[in-house]
Every structure is written in C-alpha cells, then in structure tokens.
Amino acid sequence: MARKNQTLGEFIIENQKDFPYASGELSRLINSIRLAAKMVNHEVNKAGLVDITGAVGETNVQGEDQQKLDVLANETFINTLTNREIVCGIASEENDEFITIKGQKNDHRNNYVVLMDPLDGSSNIDVNVSVGTIFSIYRRVTPTGTPVTLEDFLQPGNLQVAAGYIIYGTSTMLVYTTGHGVNGFTLNPALGTYYLSHPNMKFPEDGHIYSVNEGNYIHFPQGIKDYIKYCQEEKEDRPYTSRYIGSLVSDIHRNMIKGGVYLYPSTSKSPNGKLRLLYECNPMAFIAEQAGGKASDGYKRILDIKPTQLHERTPFVCGSKNMVEKVESFMK
Ligand SMILES: O=P(O)(O)OC[C@H]1O[C@](O)(COP(=O)(O)O)[C@@H](O)[C@@H]1O
Ligand SMILES: [Mg+2]
Ligand SMILES: [Mg+2]
C-alpha cells in the first residue's frame, strides 16, 4: 500500500512483488532511471549559468536541431543504463538506430529494453519553461543471451511493463506506472531523495482545459477544428480554458491533475502528426490509462497500435476520458 511521503527507494522495494518476473531486475532499472534523472536535473537547473543552452549544430533523425541539453540528457541516460548493466537494449528519440547492450561478460543476459525521449519540450529549454524526460520499458521477446533485435522494440504499447516521465519544473517529479496505478515522487534537492508526494494519481473523467497548438488550426482535420470550436462555445460549462506549454510532459501532467485534454493532431503538412509513437505516445498513453484517462489517435487506442518503425509518428489525443471520447465523436 503506497504511503504518502515514503521514499521512492522504499516504494520500489515494497512493490517489487507486483512485477510478473520479480527478480529485482526491473527495480534496479527504475532505480537507474531515478539516478540518471537526478544528474540531468542538476544540469537543467543551471541552464543559463553554464553553456548548455542552444543547439549543437547537428540535426537528429527526426530532422530537428539537436539542443545541447538533448545530447547531454541522452548521453546521461545511455551511460547510466549501460554502466549499471541493467538493460539489453536502448532506443532513443535522439539516435537513428537502437543500441545493443551486451554486458561486461558479452552474454546479453539482461531482459529489459528501454525506449526514451531523453529531453522532451526542447523548444522550451532556453526560455526557462518546464521540460521532461519520458521512458518506456518492455521485456524482451528474443531469447535471453542473444543480441536484441528490432522486434524487441517494435512491441505494441499494451505490452509495456513500466512507463513514466520526469518533469523538470517548479519542482522535479518522477511519475511512473508498472501497471498498478500511477504514483508521483517529488525530489527533495537538498537531500537528493524522491518522496511519494502524489500517490495513486487519477485523471478526472472530465475537465475544462484543452491543450493544442492553435497556430496549426487551418491545417487540422475538420473534426479537430469542430472540437476546438466546441471548446470555445459560450454554452453549458464552456468555454474551456486553453493552456499549451509546448512540452508534452508538462501539458499532460497539468491536465492529469486538473482535468483536461491534450491534442497533437495530424495536419495537412504532417499527416501522422509530430509526436513519436514509441518514445512519447505509448508511455504517456500507458500512464493516462493507468490513471483512468484515455489516449487515442482520434480513432483507435494508441496502446493497440502495432509499431512498424523505430521513429514512427502518430496523431495523439490524450487526457480525461470523457474529453477524449468527445474529440473522437467529432472525428467520426
Ligand atoms: O511546437 P509544437 O509544434 O507545438 O510542438 C510541441 C510538442 O513537441 C514536443 O516538444 C516534441 O518533443 P521533443 O521536444 O522531445 O522533440 C513536445 O514536447 C510538445 O508537446
Ligand atoms: Mg518529446
Ligand atoms: Mg526530445
């Protein structure tokens, strides 16, 4: 039973029995993510003081200008997970290909793969607006002791064994699920310890916040345009409030606490939208569903999509159950 203010370390050990293969491997993996997040948090907090803002002058596989903090966060998570010998493979939004981790004994003996968006909300790094890290964990499908293959990463989201995010905001929080509800831990920077500040987080079934980049309005499908008009109507409990931070993690986190819906629809320019199915949509959808919310591409459940490519994108609608269903009703 989750106890308010217990430490993340205690919580992980006490809830290890929930994991199907409770060997401690997944607990050690979440502990490694906790450690890497602290290191990234340390750098994020001093952005502007030291030279970690701005671009590195490289373009990543997404066609985006890589920010220095994208690279730093990516390296920090990859090095931590590799050095602690805790995964057999890593896929990152910042890397073209997946990384095979064979382990010190070259025996490929670990059983989990991690897929991650090391720094989410990159456009907000230089302007001191909250950013995040998103992670998704699967048990491998290829035999232990053999090198991981693409198959291990292209699993549908409904097979995730754990997922979560870290938000580097007014406070730093780690929010995650292992399929037994969603819990949020706040970092006490003075002690370097995470405490259970938000036990059993729940998406309110309804809300009054909609989060979408309305700058793309003219390129949206008619159903999305109609839904935005619906949100703005002076009727019943509307108009809703428009809130858009431009960091997926922060927009979803706020809406989970207050009730709301986040949309990154397809546009005539990018028919599959912008967000990455494996690194962003699957983990946030798992969190949303575990918190009683919902996540779809406007038509079908995100977690049932069978991925075909490492960096594929999908339209994304995520949040309070009744609000997501309302969007879907406009898309029909
Ligand atoms: O500026 P836009 O087109 O509204 O996109 C904002 C969205 O893009 C993202 O920044 C994409 O994530 P990355 O920063 O990891 O590339 C989301 O966090 C955010 O919701
Ligand atoms: Mg992102
Ligand atoms: Mg990113």
Side-chain angles (χ1 to χ4, degrees):
M1 178 55 201
R3 295 188 318 284
K4 180 102 185 189
N5 293 328
Q6 73 180 122
T7 69
L8 175 55
E10 290 163 348
F11 181 89
I12 290 173
I13 290 160
E14 283 172 23
N15 292 281
Q16 187 168 283
K17 61 186 176 331
D18 291 344
F19 306 150
Y21 308 89
S23 64
E25 210 177 328
L26 188 56
S27 301
R28 288 201 303 281
L29 175 45
I30 294 175
N31 268 319
S32 306
I33 290 171
R34 164 178 72 145
L35 175 66
K38 274 203 277 189
M39 292 191 257
V40 171
N41 178 59
H42 185 67
E43 298 302 324
V44 168
N45 282 346
K46 57 184 180 168
L49 283 180
V50 291
D51 183 25
I52 46 166
T53 54
V56 284
E58 304 278 330
T59 302
N60 66 13
V61 63
Q62 319 292 341
E64 294 158 348
D65 295 338
Q66 268 189 325
Q67 305 298 304
K68 287 179 186 158
L69 214 49
D70 284 324
V71 175
L72 183 142
N74 196 38
E75 287 168 358
T76 304
F77 277 93
I78 290 172
N79 293 343
T80 307
L81 294 173
T82 307
N83 298 344
R84 293 174 72 112
E85 289 247 328
I86 201 64
V87 289
C88 54
I90 301 171
S92 165
E93 182 198 48
E94 299 300 332
N95 293 55
D96 299 21
E97 302 304 333
F98 64 82
I99 303 164
T100 301
I101 312 287
K102 47 182 182 288
Q104 266 156 11
K105 298 199 181 87
N106 294 336
D107 57 2
H108 305 279
R109 68 190 145 93
N110 292 312
N111 294 301
Y112 293 102
V113 293
V114 171
L115 301 91
M116 63 178 186
D117 176 357
L119 205 287
D120 178 62
S122 308
S123 64
N124 283 325
I125 296 169
D126 298 0
V127 291
N128 205 356
V129 171
S130 65
V131 293
T133 293
I134 311 173
F135 64 91
S136 166
I137 301 172
Y138 293 86
R139 198 167 171 85
R140 63 184 304 170
V141 289
T142 52
T144 308
T146 65
V148 283
T149 69
L150 187 55
E151 204 194 338
D152 292 306
F153 298 94
L154 298 184
Q155 301 184 52
N158 54 39
L159 293 179
Q160 288 173 98
V161 292
Y165 58 83
I166 297 102
I167 179 167
Y168 312 103
T170 41
S171 63
T172 294
M173 282 186 69
L174 192 158
V175 175
Y176 80 106
T177 182
T178 57
H180 302 87
V182 176
N183 291 284
F185 300 80
T186 299
L187 178 66
N188 177 330
L191 303 175
T193 302
Y194 296 87
Y195 292 90
L196 181 56
S197 52
H198 296 64
N200 206 15
M201 299 178 80
K202 288 283 177 219
F203 253 110
E205 289 222 334
D206 269 301
H208 297 87
I209 294 172
Y210 68 104
S211 310
V212 63
N213 184 342
E214 293 187 59
N216 297 330
Y217 182 86
I218 56 165
H219 301 293
F220 285 155
Q222 193 54 46
I224 297 292
K225 288 179 178 171
D226 296 343
Y227 178 72
I228 293 173
K229 286 291 162 241
Y230 167 86
C231 293
Q232 297 166 345
E233 256 177 350
E234 296 272 352
K235 218 174 180 183
E236 294 156 9
D237 59 347
R238 286 164 284 136
Y240 295 154
T241 297
S242 171
R243 285 280 181 278
Y244 190 70
I245 295 169
S247 294
L248 171 69
V249 163
S250 314
D251 280 310
I252 300 259
H253 185 76
R254 181 216 34 252
N255 290 353
M256 180 155 61
I257 292 171
K258 296 200 167 193
V261 63
Y262 170 96
L263 307 97
Y264 207 106
S266 62
T267 61
S268 44
K269 290 180 291 181
S270 33
N272 291 321
K274 174 184 182 176
L275 300 180
R276 281 55 60 144
L277 175 62
L278 271 60
Y279 315 111
E280 295 166 317
C281 303
N282 270 338
M284 299 313 277
F286 190 22
I287 290 271
E289 288 198 6
Q290 281 291 313
K294 202 171 178 182
S296 80
D297 63 0
Y299 302 97
K300 60 184 181 300
R301 185 182 179 225
I302 288 289
L303 296 181
D304 292 340
I305 297 175
K306 175 69 184 84
T308 54
Q309 293 157 37
L310 267 186
H311 299 286
E312 71 182 78
R313 301 171 192 253
T314 178
F316 193 50
V317 182
C318 180
S320 294
K321 182 174 167 300
N322 297 341
M323 298 182 85
V324 173
E325 288 172 356
K326 193 72 180 176
V327 176
E328 292 170 341
S329 70
F330 276 94
M331 295 298 282
K332 283 210 182 85

